[in-house]
Amino acid sequence: MDAPPPTKPPRGVKYGKDESAGCGFLVNVIKSLGFSETTEERQKEKQKIEQEFKRSDLRLNELVSRHDQQLTQVLPLFSQVSTEVTASRERIHAVKENLGACKRLLQCRRDELKKMWTDAVQHKYVLEMLEQIQELRKVPQRVFSYTAKRQYLHASKALTDALATLNGPLAGVEGLADLRTDLQARRQQLYQRLHEELVTQVYKNSANEAFQRSNSSRLNSSFTRGIGARRSTDRIEANARVRKALSEMAQGFDLDKAEIIEDADLIDTELSMSYFIAIIVECFGMLHKVPDSLETVRVQIQTELLDVVRQTTHQLATGGTLQAGSGDSNPLLTLLEIIFKQFKAIAKTHTLLLKNYLAVGQKYTVVGPQPYDLTDFWAQAQSVLQLLLTDYLDIQNASADESAQTGFVEPINNINSYFLRRKVPSTKRAMFKFDKSSHIASTVSSNSTHEPFKEHRRNASDTSVDDNLGGNLLGSGKGSMTGQLPHEKKQREKLLICTPDQNVITKVYLPLMGYIQEIENFMKCKSGQPCSLHDFVDNYIKDTFLSKGHNRNLQLTIESLSKNQDAWRAIITPEEMKSLNLSRPLLQSTVMVERRLVETRNLIEDLPCYSEELLKMVCALLKAYREICQTAYRGIVQPDSEDKRIYSVAWLKDEDISRFLKTLPNWTDLKTSSQRARHTRNKLQRGHFEPSEEESPLQVQQRNIREAEMLTSNLGEGGITQQEILADISVLKELAILQESMEWFSCRVSEFANELRRPLVNGLNAAAAECAANVAIKDGTIKVMTNLALEFDELANTCLLVLHLEVRVQCFHYLRSKSSIRTNSYVGSKDDILEPDRQVSVLTKRLSEMDEALSATLHPRKTRYIFEGLAHLAARILIQASNYLEHIDQITVQRMCRNSIALQQTLSNITASREIALDQAKHFYELLCMEPDEILNSLLERGPQFSEMQMLNALQLSCKACGITDANLLASYQQKLSDILGAKPSKGVVV
């Protein structure tokens, strides 16, 4: 037993196919025998196999002898194991038989146990159902109680769980059908209540809060929250609880921790909105109403915004808010400002609402329509603003106004009929429209109900000018809702805070563009793609306000001026002169066009983005008016035909004469003082012209002499006929009024052009200033305006120069006519000797009439320019008349002196200065009564007072009067005259 136990040989040893292996060796032997061809080979193979067998047998015997002891031990052990295995099999067989017997016994009790278990389960389920039904019967009362306390989460949770139970475990209970229907109805009612609460929070509370911030100093009582008597500590604690509840709700809703509000009035508005919106959206998720509520909110945006506009308009119109504010503020401007602030507050609340919807949608895995975004909200807000503007801009009545304006056009006649001397029947037109007055408001309202567009507009905006309480609230924002019948409730809701008017766009455009710019920023509109409200305002201004309003008025103005026969005779009233700070009358047509110019300037300030369109129309108006004025000038100076020649106009067309007159100091001084007066008219009284520097008497004398010489040299020998002068004083008066009007209008156009160079900033708000700053008037347009102003000024200059020359032409006409030149001694009565010539009397009367007419129509400085220097011309004409005298006598000298004195008195009264030039004419004729030697001695004593030709003519006439005919003596006198004039300088006034 000391020998080690036998070891088990390793298992899994496989023999290879080599020759030393048993099977392999046998296979090889078979192959060798099979392939051997001879017996010898087989014998050899046999011997080889036998040798190997003997060797294997020896080895086996050796191994058996070596392991004999181990084999002896293994065999008894194997017998023992075999016996134990047999015994185990017998025991297992016995156990199997016992289990079979047990199975047969349990099978007998299985049906009875199963029945008892089933009965127990049924009893338990019935008890649970009874408990659930009992709880379900309490759900309606609990939901009502929760809703009354605004504990919407508890109410939603109770309804959701109850319906889940009814539609789940109790779905088959027919007796609960009524309860199921009731709970479903209560679920819908709760949903509607939640939606109403959401509308209140999103729209009403947001709008009220924005209204309070905009009108903190003048709140209406209906907007005031009654928390003044509450203690501040209560509000602080309530706000702290809400903030804590909001932070916990962000992590997860716990009903006991979420709904903790007992009094909502103690909570700040912003916190209250955030709290209730979060609660309501969570309730929508519990009630599985998220898609429905989203769609309802999106669809009702426009309706709710219109309701906000209606309520705000009601508060402004009935609460006295407008009267408490600034008197300069436009009611519609105030309304738009408040409404836009309300819209921004509502948009902010919508952002919070969408954030809660997104969180709830992810929490409850909501599948349905995509939530709307703020772009949808602002699109609806723009529609509401368009409806609001449609009412206040009175777009519906634009076509009616356009047809009414056409009634201003008067019948057409030939343009030459402007200047015909005949009475033109006056045409009256209505200055005001009464279609919106209180006595026809009901008629208009009843008729408007048959117009689909107008009815649609009313339904959309709930505002109408026709339903505005008979016009009692129009224009002032005042009104009371008391004392009206119940059936008038609908009318009370439809009121406007001001009268609908197309011109109101000028008051609200710049602020409105600021709001539009903010909307485009909110909507992230690309450049060149404006929002719909921007397009609406742009189309209205271009197609209605400008095309059918202002531009149409400009066209009607041009037509009325070109077709009105009396346009160039009608002048402004004294009241209008006072309002315009004028001292001389102007043409009504000029003032009318200037008013259109002022209207355009105001429109450019109010509508800077449309300045180019406005200026194009103004330039067209000015060009047309320029043509009309030039036609009027031609009609005044040449009313009959082209064959008729007005001498003063012909002289002015001569470039040399025109250039000469404009280079004289009196003309340059007049224009310089006029330009200086333009720059200082705001500081000095209008029309007070002062020359830049006074001319000396010698300079005035020399200038007048130059002018008289130039005009005399251009006259010619034929004289001037009656048909070549403007004999009608009224024509000269019309020319003077035209001159004043053109000069005044030229100043206005020039001022307008200069104002266009300044930045167009109205200064209402930052957005408006930015809008206006981006607008710049083109230099070409300003240049056109400046050129037109120069053309009007040139026409004024032409009129003034024509008047200046016309006075002188009439002097030539009356003083150089054949009837005024005496060729022989005057024969008549003594009384006739003391009077001037008839032609001189006519001239003095004409001069007085012209002075009276021009003084009433022209500025004194211009009247002075017209008559100044006329004495020099008259003296020169009178002296030159001596050339036509064949001989001289005392009566002729006295007559010519009387002529000089008469002219001197008349001109002195006109110019308010002694006209010493006519004294020289009298002195000249007094020389003719002297002897030749006396003339020469006087010349030596006083110096030369006349030209050499005049003195020579005087000397010849004196010689004739004295009967001196000797040629030598006459030559000696002429030689002495030449010596005296050549030796001594002039000491007097040379005419």
Side-chain angles (χ1 to χ4, degrees):
M1 297 298 294
D2 295 335
T7 59
K8 184 179 178 180
R11 302 182 62 182
V13 177
K14 295 182 179 181
Y15 295 98
K17 295 183 179 181
D18 54 343
E19 295 180 358
S20 62
C23 294
F25 181 75
L26 180 59
V27 170
N28 290 334
V29 170
I30 294 172
K31 288 181 179 180
S32 299
L33 293 177
F35 288 109
S36 58
E37 297 178 356
T38 60
T39 306
E40 293 179 355
E41 292 178 357
R42 293 187 182 92
Q43 289 296 330
K44 289 180 180 180
E45 189 65 29
K46 178 180 177 182
Q47 291 176 0
K48 182 178 179 180
I49 292 172
E50 288 177 350
Q51 290 177 358
E52 291 293 333
F53 177 76
K54 289 179 181 180
R55 193 181 300 114
S56 298
D57 186 53
L58 290 175
R59 186 180 177 186
L60 179 62
N61 292 332
E62 182 181 357
L63 291 173
V64 169
S65 60
R66 186 186 302 173
H67 297 285
D68 179 71
Q69 186 179 358
Q70 295 177 353
L71 290 174
T72 303
Q73 293 176 355
V74 167
L75 290 176
L77 291 174
F78 179 77
S79 299
Q80 184 179 355
V81 170
S82 177
T83 303
E84 290 178 356
V85 169
T86 303
S88 298
R89 287 179 177 177
E90 292 177 354
R91 288 195 299 274
I92 289 173
H93 181 69
V95 169
K96 184 177 180 181
E97 289 180 352
N98 291 334
L99 289 176
C102 182
K103 181 179 179 181
R104 286 189 295 274
L105 293 174
L106 291 175
Q107 187 71 29
C108 295
R109 304 286 304 208
R110 183 182 61 181
D111 296 336
E112 182 179 358
L113 291 174
K114 182 177 180 181
K115 181 179 179 182
M116 294 176 64
W117 177 79
T118 302
D119 293 341
V121 171
Q122 288 179 353
H123 292 160
K124 181 181 179 181
Y125 186 69
V126 168
L127 290 175
E128 291 179 354
M129 288 179 62
L130 291 175
E131 292 177 357
Q132 291 175 352
I133 292 172
Q134 190 66 26
E135 291 296 326
L136 289 175
R137 291 172 59 86
K138 300 177 181 179
V139 168
Q141 184 61 32
R142 287 161 52 190
V143 169
F144 177 80
S145 176
Y146 289 145
T147 305
K149 297 177 182 179
R150 300 180 72 181
Q151 294 181 346
Y152 300 120
L153 277 177
H154 286 80
S156 301
K157 180 67 175 176
L159 273 177
T160 303
D161 293 344
L163 288 174
T165 301
L166 288 172
N167 295 326
L170 304 180
V173 180
E174 296 180 359
L176 297 177
D178 294 339
L179 181 61
R180 183 182 297 106
T181 303
D182 180 58
L183 291 181
Q184 289 176 350
R186 290 181 180 274
R187 176 192 178 192
Q188 187 64 26
Q189 293 174 1
L190 178 61
Y191 168 71
Q192 294 176 357
R193 173 68 181 274
L194 289 172
H195 183 72
E196 293 174 359
E197 182 72 26
L198 181 63
V199 169
T200 301
Q201 297 296 332
V202 174
Y203 294 99
K204 296 182 180 179
N205 291 350
S206 299
N208 292 352
E209 184 68 17
F211 188 92
Q212 289 178 357
R213 288 196 298 267
S214 300
N215 304 276
S216 58
S217 61
R218 38 189 169 88
L219 287 178
N220 187 275
S221 59
S222 61
F223 279 85
T224 306
R225 303 170 66 92
I227 61 174
R230 303 298 181 91
R231 293 181 302 171
S232 59
T233 54
D234 294 340
R235 294 196 296 271
I236 294 174
E237 292 177 359
N239 291 330
R241 289 197 302 270
V242 171
R243 291 189 181 93
K244 183 177 180 181
L246 287 173
S247 63
E248 292 178 352
M249 284 189 292
Q251 300 175 0
F253 275 84
D254 186 349
L255 297 185
D256 295 331
K257 295 182 180 181
E259 292 188 322
I260 44 80
I261 295 181
E262 297 178 358
D263 190 349
D265 290 337
L266 291 174
I267 307 172
D268 293 342
T269 304
E270 187 173 355
L271 278 176
S272 177
M273 287 190 294
S274 301
Y275 172 80
F276 278 106
I277 288 174
I279 293 292
I280 291 169
V281 176
E282 180 68 21
C283 292
F284 285 154
M286 289 183 179
L287 297 174
H288 306 290
K289 290 288 187 177
V290 172
D292 296 340
S293 63
L294 266 174
E295 184 65 17
T296 303
V297 170
R298 185 187 65 81
V299 170
Q300 293 184 355
I301 289 177
Q302 182 173 349
T303 303
E304 297 301 332
L305 291 180
L306 285 170
D307 188 65
V308 169
V309 172
R310 185 186 310 109
Q311 294 297 330
T312 304
T313 304
H314 175 78
Q315 292 294 330
L316 289 177
T318 62
T321 304
L322 292 177
Q323 286 75 11
S326 174
D328 298 334
S329 177
N330 185 276
L332 180 58
L333 194 61
T334 304
L335 177 63
L336 284 175
E337 179 184 1
I338 295 176
I339 286 176
F340 188 70
K341 289 181 179 179
Q342 290 175 329
F343 282 5
K344 289 198 295 184
I346 294 172
K348 183 178 178 181
T349 310
H350 271 280
T351 303
L352 177 63
L353 177 63
L354 291 173
K355 181 179 178 181
N356 284 277
Y357 266 120
L358 181 62
V360 170
Q362 294 176 352
K363 178 179 179 180
Y364 291 94
T365 316
V366 176
V367 178
Q370 293 295 325
Y372 65 95
D373 55 14
L374 289 183
T375 302
D376 300 325
F377 170 80
W378 283 113
Q380 298 296 330
Q382 290 178 80
S383 301
V384 173
L385 291 174
Q386 289 181 28
L387 294 172
L388 178 67
L389 292 174
T390 299
D391 285 335
Y392 284 98
L393 295 178
D394 201 19
I395 296 178
Q396 182 180 0
N397 295 327
S399 58
D401 293 341
E402 180 185 5
S403 61
Q405 290 175 357
T406 58
F408 296 151
V409 182
E410 298 178 352
I412 300 176
N413 282 325
N414 194 325
I415 191 170
N416 293 327
S417 63
Y418 299 160
F419 316 105
L420 293 179
R421 304 293 194 268
R422 62 182 180 182
K423 184 178 180 181
V424 180
S426 61
T427 56
K428 297 181 179 180
R429 57 183 176 85
M431 297 183 64
F432 303 96
K433 294 167 57 181
F434 299 96
D435 56 345
K436 298 178 178 62
S437 61
S438 59
H439 70 282
I440 63 170
S442 60
T443 304
V444 178
S445 176
S446 62
N447 293 338
S448 64
T449 57
H450 301 287
E451 300 178 11
F453 173 76
K454 193 165 187 177
E455 184 65 26
H456 169 72
R457 181 169 64 90
R458 289 180 178 179
N459 293 338
S461 62
D462 284 337
T463 54
S464 172
V465 65
D466 300 327
D467 294 332
N468 196 15
L469 303 182
N472 293 331
L473 299 177
L474 293 180
S476 63
K478 298 180 181 179
S480 175
M481 305 306 292
T482 61
Q484 299 192 5
L485 299 177
H487 68 273
E488 294 177 343
K489 181 178 180 181
K490 185 176 182 180
Q491 284 188 338
R492 290 199 300 269
E493 295 177 354
K494 296 181 179 180
L495 58 89
L496 301 177
I497 60 175
C498 63
T499 306
D501 185 9
Q502 295 182 11
N503 294 324
V504 79
I505 189 65
T506 61
K507 306 295 183 183
V508 303
Y509 174 75
L510 289 177
L512 187 61
M513 290 307 297
Y515 304 150
I516 290 175
Q517 185 176 2
E518 291 189 50
I519 291 175
E520 291 178 347
N521 292 335
F522 292 146
M523 299 180 68
K524 298 179 181 180
C525 295
K526 297 181 180 179
S527 178
Q529 298 178 354
C531 62
S532 60
L533 182 59
H534 194 162
D535 289 334
F536 170 79
V537 174
D538 185 64
N539 293 334
Y540 169 75
I541 292 176
K542 288 183 178 179
D543 301 337
T544 302
F545 181 72
L546 292 182
S547 178
K548 300 179 181 178
H550 177 72
N551 295 348
R552 180 60 177 164
N553 291 338
L554 296 183
Q555 294 175 358
L556 291 176
T557 300
I558 297 174
E559 294 176 3
S560 64
L561 292 178
S562 61
K563 299 170 185 177
N564 186 4
Q565 300 174 357
D566 204 27
W568 302 104
R569 292 182 181 85
I571 60 175
I572 58 177
T573 62
E575 291 76 12
E576 291 176 318
M577 291 174 56
K578 185 177 180 180
S579 64
L580 294 173
N581 195 20
L582 296 174
S583 60
R584 296 296 183 272
L586 301 177
L587 293 171
Q588 284 186 357
S589 61
T590 304
V591 176
M592 183 190 304
V593 176
E594 193 272 340
R595 286 172 181 168
R596 296 291 179 262
L597 203 65
V598 172
E599 291 174 2
T600 304
R601 179 177 59 191
N602 295 335
L603 283 178
I604 290 176
E605 293 178 356
D606 295 332
L607 308 174
C609 296
Y610 303 90
S611 55
E612 285 298 329
E613 291 84 350
L614 291 169
L615 289 176
K616 287 180 181 178
M617 289 301 301
V618 167
C619 289
L621 171 65
L622 293 179
K623 290 177 181 178
Y625 189 59
R626 175 198 60 190
E627 298 297 330
I628 294 172
C629 292
Q630 291 175 351
T631 304
Y633 165 75
R634 290 191 296 269
I636 292 174
V637 300
Q638 194 172 6
D640 294 337
S641 64
E642 294 292 336
D643 297 334
K644 182 176 178 179
R645 179 193 184 202
I646 302 300
Y647 215 95
S648 58
V649 179
W651 262 358
L652 190 60
K653 291 181 180 179
D654 190 326
E655 294 183 359
D656 295 333
I657 297 178
S658 177
R659 184 168 54 253
F660 172 79
L661 293 177
K662 290 181 180 180
T663 56
L664 291 177
N666 56 347
W667 175 263
T668 56
D669 179 65
L670 175 64
K671 301 310 292 183
T672 302
S673 59
S674 299
Q675 292 175 359
R676 186 172 65 253
R678 294 181 189 179
H679 299 293
T680 60
R681 68 180 182 277
N682 294 329
K683 299 180 181 179
L684 301 175
Q685 281 191 346
R686 189 170 186 77
H688 283 209
F689 294 98
E690 295 294 337
S692 57
E693 57 181 48
E694 290 289 342
E695 295 180 272
S696 65
L698 181 59
Q699 290 175 332
V700 173
Q701 173 190 340
Q702 292 175 352
R703 175 241 298 166
N704 293 334
I705 291 173
R706 287 174 56 199
E707 181 181 359
E709 290 177 349
M710 187 274 299
L711 295 178
T712 305
S713 62
N714 282 275
L715 179 61
E717 297 296 331
I720 300 175
T721 64
Q722 181 71 21
Q723 290 74 25
E724 293 177 323
I725 65 172
L726 296 174
D728 192 350
I729 296 297
S730 62
V731 174
L732 298 178
K733 190 173 181 179
E734 290 178 4
L735 199 60
I737 295 175
L738 180 62
Q739 193 280 332
E740 280 286 340
S741 301
M742 292 300 98
E743 185 178 74
W744 178 80
F745 188 67
S746 172
C747 295
R748 291 297 177 269
V749 176
S750 180
E751 291 172 3
F752 183 38
N754 292 332
E755 289 178 358
L756 293 178
R757 293 185 171 91
R758 295 196 294 267
L760 301 176
V761 178
N762 193 293
L764 288 176
N765 52 37
E770 181 179 355
C771 174
N774 296 329
V775 179
I777 306 299
K778 296 180 181 179
D779 294 336
T781 304
I782 299 177
K783 186 176 181 181
V784 171
M785 297 285 293
T786 305
N787 292 337
L788 288 170
L790 293 176
E791 292 184 14
F792 284 111
D793 186 62
E794 183 63 26
L795 181 57
N797 295 340
T798 301
C799 295
L800 186 59
L801 289 174
V802 167
L803 292 172
H804 180 84
L805 290 175
E806 181 61 30
V807 174
R808 284 148 181 79
V809 166
Q810 296 202 18
C811 285
F812 281 116
H813 169 67
Y814 289 106
L815 296 181
R816 291 191 63 174
S817 61
K818 293 181 180 180
S819 61
S820 64
I821 301 175
R822 302 289 181 169
T823 58
N824 49 23
S825 297
Y826 178 80
V827 180
S829 65
K830 184 178 179 180
D831 295 336
D832 293 335
I833 297 175
L834 300 178
E835 297 295 330
D837 287 342
R838 186 179 60 83
Q839 292 293 91
V840 174
S841 299
V842 174
L843 175 61
T844 55
K845 182 179 179 182
R846 290 281 299 175
L847 291 176
S848 299
E849 292 174 350
M850 286 190 288
D851 174 61
E852 181 181 358
L854 298 180
S855 298
T857 54
L858 285 179
H859 191 275
R861 186 66 181 86
K862 299 174 186 176
T863 307
R864 177 185 172 187
Y865 168 75
I866 291 173
F867 289 99
E868 189 179 40
L870 191 60
H872 287 77
L873 180 63
R876 187 176 183 86
I877 295 173
L878 290 176
I879 292 173
Q880 284 184 348
S882 63
N883 297 334
Y884 303 96
L885 296 176
E886 296 180 358
H887 60 273
I888 194 71
D889 55 14
Q890 187 67 27
I891 296 176
T892 303
V893 171
Q894 290 179 0
R895 176 68 67 180
M896 298 304 291
C897 291
R898 284 291 181 184
N899 291 342
S900 299
I901 293 172
L903 289 172
Q904 186 180 32
Q905 290 176 349
T906 302
L907 292 177
S908 296
N909 292 333
I910 293 175
T911 61
S913 62
R914 179 175 177 80
E915 298 293 346
I916 59 175
L918 287 167
D919 288 337
Q920 295 302 107
K922 186 179 67 171
H923 294 161
F924 175 82
Y925 280 97
E926 290 174 350
L927 288 176
L928 300 182
C929 296
M930 298 179 183
E931 298 289 337
D933 292 330
E934 293 177 354
I935 294 175
L936 295 175
N937 292 332
S938 175
L939 183 60
L940 287 172
E941 293 174 359
R942 299 179 182 179
Q945 298 179 348
F946 304 98
S947 65
E948 183 176 358
M949 291 299 298
Q950 292 171 350
M951 291 301 299
L952 180 60
N953 186 35
L955 192 61
Q956 291 175 353
L957 289 174
S958 178
C959 290
K960 287 182 180 181
C962 294
I964 300 174
T965 58
D966 186 4
N968 293 329
L969 185 57
L970 291 175
S972 65
Y973 282 135
Q974 292 179 0
Q975 183 60 40
K976 289 179 181 181
L977 178 62
S978 299
D979 294 341
I980 293 172
L981 293 178
K984 294 185 178 181
S986 175
K987 295 182 180 178
V989 178
V990 179
V991 179

